[in-house]
Amino acid sequence: MKKQLQVGLIGYGNAGKTYHAPLITATPGLKLAAIASSRTLAVNADWPDVDVEPDADALIARRDLDLVVIATPNDSHASLARAALIAGRNVVVDKPFTLTVAEAESLVALATQTGLLLSVFHNSRWHADFIAIRSAITAGRIGTVKQFESRVDRFRPVVQQRWREAAQAGAGLWYDFGPHLVDQALQLFGVPQTVWADLALRRDGALSDDDVHVVLGYPALRVVLGVSNLVVGGGHRFLVHGTGGSLVVDGADSQAEQLKAGMRPGHPAWAFDARQMALYTEAGGETRKQHIDLPRGEYTAYYAGIRDALLGSGPNPVMPSDAVAVMRVIEAGITSSRSGRRIDL
């Protein structure tokens, strides 16, 4: 058995530089061996001991790699994952898994056929606020959940010149943040019966959706997902109402901002989150409010899980079937918004 599993990373934009490279290198048993990027100087400055390959084909062709991580623009995920699987490489794909359900199902079939690991980086499962919300719901602290609202709001009124905001396949907030919000909802409540979506372009000059409002329908539960680039001051990250109380969390998970600032796992402050979750209950006609500290986030659990799965000592941390389920909701949302209809799943 190898002392360290060799990992190759395709792409060194925001996802590769900010998330994947630091988390891979922080995981015992994994070694970031190569990065495929045209930004050779940037890679060398950050990771002088890592090989730089000129393109994805060159990296995939390396026979020393145990795992290939794909952190490229969304419309290239399916083709690169297919190429890596055909070459005999285990694969991690950044979210969104693919652009369509058909692409996702095809990749899962190929991974099954080849006996290779295929996983999707749904890292929001390890956000501190989601861990706290899931724990409170599981413990029954607000009774039976009847309404679940999950939002990511920022104020970015000016359209930027980048692929995420361009008029191209895979751009827009639904493909960017939608997979996070949908995966969290499915982890809590399973697959919904219906999807209704309004994916809008609100900003002057917008080329892809920059305001998202989606309702997932369950027999006795409503889940509302939202993302906007035109909210000053932010809003509730989670707002959950049940038969016995309500839960509220504001703000954003600390891990992303720490990574952007250059902090790495292992730092004493890593994943510390100063926010609190508010629990509202009522007794004798009196409303009571309890503040609950958030746990530390656990981004590092994802690649630790990938390592264990490759070594045969643990499960895949994000099963490809879960990622396909997310893509079904993403695709249904697009169909709903275009048609103005509620879509049955």
Side-chain angles (χ1 to χ4, degrees), residues 10 39 63 77 81 83 92 99 124 135 182 196 231 247 258:
I10 302 176
R39 303 175 61 211
R63 296 188 176 184
H77 287 183
V92 164
L99 298 190
S124 60
S135 177
V182 171
W196 180 88
V231 178
L247 299 168
Q258 289 177 335

Side-chain angles (χ1 to χ4, degrees), residues 234-249:
H236 296 314
R237 175 64 186 87
F238 290 106
L239 183 60
V240 190
H241 303 300
T243 57
S246 296
L247 299 168
V248 181
V249 182

Side-chain angles (χ1 to χ4, degrees), residues 74 77-79 81-82 85 93 96-112 118-120 122 175 319-331:
N74 297 341
H77 287 183
S79 60
R82 173 167 291 276
L85 289 168
V93 185
F97 184 15
T98 56
L99 298 190
T100 68
V101 173
E103 289 176 338
E105 291 178 332
S106 176
L107 289 177
V108 173
L110 180 58
T112 300
L118 175 62
S119 188
V120 180
H122 281 303
Y175 272 118
M319 295 297 294
S321 57
D322 290 351
V324 172
V326 170
M327 289 313 306
R328 291 189 190 283
V329 176
I330 295 296
E331 191 172 272

Side-chain angles (χ1 to χ4, degrees), residues 45-314:
D46 293 339
W47 310 101
D49 297 328
V50 175
D51 296 341
V52 182
E53 298 292 352
D55 53 42
D57 290 341
L59 185 138
I60 291 172
R62 289 178 60 129
R63 296 188 176 184
D64 62 326
L65 298 180
D66 300 289
L67 174 69
V68 169
V69 176
I70 297 168
T72 54
N74 297 341
D75 58 359
S76 65
H77 287 183
S79 60
L80 289 174
R82 173 167 291 276
L85 289 168
I86 290 173
R89 309 291 176 256
N90 299 292
V91 175
V92 164
V93 185
D94 194 58
K95 61 79 203 165
F97 184 15
T98 56
L99 298 190
T100 68
V101 173
E103 289 176 338
E105 291 178 332
S106 176
L107 289 177
V108 173
L110 180 58
T112 300
Q113 176 186 341
T114 56
L116 295 166
L117 178 138
L118 175 62
S119 188
V120 180
F121 187 61
H122 281 303
N123 59 305
S124 60
R125 294 186 186 184
W126 293 276
H127 283 174
D129 45 23
F130 180 68
I131 294 171
I133 288 285
R134 180 174 56 190
S135 177
I137 291 175
T138 301
R141 301 192 71 171
I142 59 169
T144 302
V145 176
K146 294 297 183 179
Q147 178 142 326
F148 179 89
E149 298 184 26
S150 174
R151 296 195 58 88
V152 176
D153 291 320
R154 303 94 54 85
F155 187 62
R156 297 183 178 180
V158 178
V159 177
Q160 299 180 32
Q161 299 297 314
R162 57 177 190 153
W163 69 261
R164 293 184 186 276
E165 300 184 46
Q168 70 178 62
L173 291 183
W174 184 227
Y175 272 118
D176 193 5
F177 287 96
H180 287 310
L181 304 187
V182 171
D183 183 65
Q184 289 179 335
L186 267 57
Q187 287 297 298
L188 290 173
F189 309 115
V191 177
Q193 293 180 331
T194 61
V195 178
W196 180 88
D198 180 11
L199 312 179
L201 284 69
R202 303 292 190 201
R203 297 175 298 172
D204 293 339
L207 301 173
S208 56
D209 58 90
D210 58 6
D211 188 283
V212 168
H213 182 77
V214 177
V215 179
L216 308 184
Y218 295 82
L221 165 70
R222 178 190 289 120
V223 171
V224 181
L225 309 177
V227 192
S228 177
N229 279 333
L230 285 177
V231 178
V232 178
H236 296 314
R237 175 64 186 87
F238 290 106
L239 183 60
V240 190
H241 303 300
T243 57
S246 296
L247 299 168
V248 181
V249 182
D250 297 334
D253 186 85
S254 65
Q255 294 168 98
E257 291 305 315
Q258 289 177 335
L259 287 170
K260 290 175 184 177
M263 184 185 294
R264 303 284 171 81
H267 188 283
W270 167 252
F272 172 76
D273 201 313
R275 294 176 298 154
Q276 292 182 315
M277 176 173 66
L279 167 62
Y280 293 89
T281 56
E282 184 176 292
E286 179 182 347
T287 300
R288 298 178 179 178
K289 180 180 181 181
Q290 179 182 355
H291 291 287
I292 301 171
D293 291 336
L294 296 184
R296 287 184 184 248
E298 299 176 356
Y299 275 2
T300 52
Y302 178 78
Y303 274 110
I306 291 293
R307 174 202 61 208
D308 293 346
L310 290 174
L311 295 176
S313 60

